Amino acid sequence: MKRLLFSLLFIVSSFVVPAQNKAHTKELLLMSSRFEVTAVSENDTLAWKAINAVIAETKRIEKLISEWDSTSQTSAINRNAGVRPVVVDRELFDLIARSIKVSKLTDGAFDISFAPLYKVWKINEKINAIPTNDQIESAKKFVGYSKIILDNINQTVFLQEKGMKIGLGGIGQGYVANACKHLMVQMGIKAGLINVSGDIITWGTQPDGSNWRIGIADPKDKDAVISWLAVHDVSVVTSGNYEKFITVNGKRYGHIVDPRTGYPADHVGSVTIVSPDAELSDALATGVFVLGVDDGLNLVNQLKGVECLIIDEQNNLHPSKNMTLNFEKRE
């Protein structure tokens, strides 16, 4: 009888199929943008638990850093510009401190205090004329990362001049991507992808063991892919002038404004940054876009673990020295 039972158990066990990794994906609107999260796991329950945790974490961070939310600490900083320092959470304080480091690294090409210039340009509105030189110069008086005063001991942020305003849109999405990846890894998700409105971070591989394939949009046709990257354990962030822009008298003005000149940067079509850190990639994508081809490549080629692809106005591709690309065939 025991031998028969053993034989039956052997037969049953021989038909047990090991659990297979699967990609669990959810797309939704978060931070007023397209948000996609993929968890690769053999455990369906764990995967969806992690995805829901990521959604909750994103909402929490948005509540902290959004300048559009009147109850956020960032809004409190802006309301008290030129008035008094504002005590903030260490999380926000450190994010602003890292933003200033990138400003110094890019010689001011990336600057979270650019918001007054963005307001003058009204990129999100239909306008018939661009701002005057006087309007731009007036707005520039309230721009400058050196006027953001941080007190590490008291954990306060102070904008020196009344009328100043910070906006974390150029680094916040990358920060969210980093935080969400960290959370999912802590929960036991060994591979995945998070896409926060084009700020992408990956870890591990797809269920079949292959790398994640990230398409880089053609600035002349945003629905077409100009090149592909096969990646794992890195972030890929692209800044381009093809998503948000205004056209006045036949000329297009993109939404990425050079904080130093007050005018939209127009030397390139897009910049893609690849690095292990989505926050850094996010900020550098904007900074390198403003710097342009020569200065941008010169900067990136000095940064360990950071690569980039710059596409100029003529759609010529300029990769950094260690960037590997799989090009689509183009006409």
Side-chain angles (χ1 to χ4, degrees):
M1 184 67 181
K2 289 182 180 179
R3 182 177 299 174
L4 177 60
L5 181 60
F6 176 81
S7 298
L8 288 171
L9 287 173
F10 177 79
I11 292 171
V12 171
S13 65
S14 68
F15 284 97
V16 173
V17 178
Q20 298 292 317
N21 277 334
K22 293 184 291 184
H24 306 75
T25 299
K26 186 175 183 65
E27 294 185 26
L28 65 161
L29 190 68
L30 281 179
M31 301 180 74
S32 300
S33 302
R34 176 176 172 268
F35 187 99
E36 178 185 349
V37 54
T38 296
V40 176
S41 176
E42 61 187 28
N43 187 326
D44 294 351
T45 301
L46 174 61
W48 289 112
K49 183 179 180 181
I51 288 171
N52 289 329
V54 159
I55 294 170
E57 175 71 348
T58 300
K59 292 178 179 178
R60 181 194 69 79
I61 295 173
E62 182 179 20
K63 191 74 176 173
L64 178 68
I65 71 174
S66 173
E67 70 266 27
W68 306 112
D69 185 339
S70 62
T71 66
S72 74
Q73 292 183 9
T74 303
S75 290
I77 294 169
N78 291 335
R79 280 196 304 272
N80 287 280
V83 179
R84 66 177 180 85
V86 176
V87 178
V88 299
D89 290 355
R90 173 56 64 177
E91 180 179 10
L92 178 58
F93 184 93
D94 289 345
L95 177 59
I96 293 173
R98 292 193 299 272
S99 299
I100 293 174
K101 285 184 178 180
V102 179
S103 293
K104 293 176 180 178
L105 182 67
T106 60
D107 195 27
F110 172 82
D111 191 335
I112 60 172
S113 72
F114 78 102
L117 284 169
Y118 194 82
K119 183 178 180 180
V120 164
W121 276 95
K122 300 178 182 178
I123 297 295
N124 292 324
E125 302 176 25
K126 291 183 178 180
I127 60 175
N128 298 317
I130 66 171
T132 65
N133 289 334
D134 287 344
Q135 289 174 319
I136 292 170
E137 289 301 317
S138 294
K140 276 177 61 180
K141 295 176 183 177
F142 305 111
V143 176
Y145 66 89
S146 62
K147 300 176 184 178
I148 304 171
I149 309 303
L150 302 182
D151 184 333
N152 189 51
I153 296 176
N154 295 308
Q155 210 167 292
T156 61
V157 181
F158 178 53
L159 306 184
Q160 275 189 325
E161 297 184 19
K162 197 174 184 67
M164 287 185 68
K165 184 179 180 180
I166 60 172
L168 295 164
I171 195 170
Q173 291 176 332
Y175 174 66
V176 167
N178 275 355
C180 290
K181 173 200 167 182
H182 179 71
L183 176 60
M184 292 181 78
V185 169
Q186 277 191 323
M187 294 180 70
I189 302 299
K190 296 180 180 179
L193 179 148
I194 294 169
N195 182 351
V196 188
S197 187
D199 288 22
I200 298 170
I201 193 163
T202 67
W203 68 103
T205 60
Q206 298 190 69
D208 64 1
S210 63
N211 287 332
W212 302 94
R213 295 183 75 239
I214 310 297
I216 299 175
D218 183 341
K220 302 294 186 183
D221 179 5
K222 66 179 182 179
D223 295 322
V225 173
I226 200 169
S227 66
W228 289 93
L229 295 175
V231 300
H232 64 90
D233 301 313
V234 295
S235 66
V236 180
V237 177
T238 298
S239 286
N241 62 7
Y242 48 85
E243 291 287 355
K244 293 182 181 179
F245 58 88
I246 56 174
T247 302
V248 179
N249 296 327
K251 182 174 180 180
R252 189 167 75 167
Y253 298 86
H255 76 288
I256 301 176
V257 178
D258 186 338
R260 305 165 302 177
T261 66
Y263 286 84
D266 58 3
H267 351 286
V268 298
S270 74
V271 170
T272 298
I273 300 289
V274 180
S275 85
D277 188 295
E279 178 188 303
L280 178 63
S281 293
D282 195 7
L284 280 179
T286 300
V288 171
F289 189 101
V290 170
L291 288 172
V293 176
D294 293 337
D295 290 342
L297 286 176
N298 182 55
L299 171 63
V300 170
N301 285 334
Q302 297 179 65
L303 300 177
K304 186 177 180 180
V306 180
E307 299 301 334
C308 79
L309 171 67
I310 302 176
I311 304 176
D312 65 26
E313 287 183 290
Q314 289 74 42
N315 251 25
N316 298 311
L317 277 60
H318 305 268
S320 57
K321 61 185 179 182
N322 292 319
M323 174 68 92
T324 301
L325 295 167
N326 179 15
F327 294 104
E328 287 273 291
K329 183 179 179 182
R330 294 182 292 164
E331 297 296 328

